[in-house]
Amino acid sequence: LGKTTTFTALLQSIHMSNKLLLRYNKYCTKTIADLESLRSLSDEMFQKQHIADQWNLSQLFDHLLSIEKLSLMYMLRKSQATDLKTAGFKTWLYSFLLRQNLRSTKKFRLPAALPQPIANKTAAELLTEFTEIRAKMADFIGKWDDSKKKLLIFKHPRVGMLTLGQTLKFFADHWFHHQPQLKELLQE
């Protein structure tokens, strides 16, 4: 893993020109410890299936990566449209309810629109992918100017369309929703 770009270096390279980039930086900073903890794990430990019918560390981090990667792909495609709708009360309400649910201890099934996480990726592969996707996400956010802050850019599989700001809040809430699972896997 020695040549993998560190997340700290990535964050230092991000130019903080707007509030959304600041929010994204805060999210990335809070997740760095989790990602850096992977460096000390062997591939065997990272891919070990601790409990039948539950994800291993590879699957958990692949799921978290997939959320960011697929979201960015969708937003890049959607940002090319000239007829983006504007958020209203319904969007705010659904985003609020999503955040409350993710902050709870409820368990959710993987939405059908998402791929099943891969069980045998290495920590090095995932760290490299996270670094790449987060650099691309930061670039996308940096180009998203304030005049677009109320535009609906991302379609969440459960609550529908969200603004970029709401999407970034979803990323953070989703990551931290998986914290108990992560801690359990790291302890075993």
Side-chain angles (χ1 to χ4, degrees), residues 127-166:
L127 287 168
T128 299
E129 287 183 65
F130 266 109
T131 301
E132 291 169 1
I133 203 68
R134 287 186 169 185
K136 291 175 184 175
M137 183 70 76
D139 184 57
F140 175 78
I141 296 167
K143 293 175 182 172
W144 195 255
D145 66 59
D146 260 4
S147 67
K148 299 177 181 179
K149 68 181 176 184
K150 291 187 178 182
L151 295 180
L152 299 172
I153 188 70
F154 171 66
K155 185 175 184 179
H156 186 277
R158 302 234 194 266
V159 299
M161 295 302 292
L162 299 172
T163 66
L164 181 55
Q166 291 167 331

Side-chain angles (χ1 to χ4, degrees), residues 24 28 41 44 85 104 157 162:
Y24 189 63
C28 290
L41 299 174
E44 180 184 346
K85 294 183 180 174
S104 74
L162 299 172

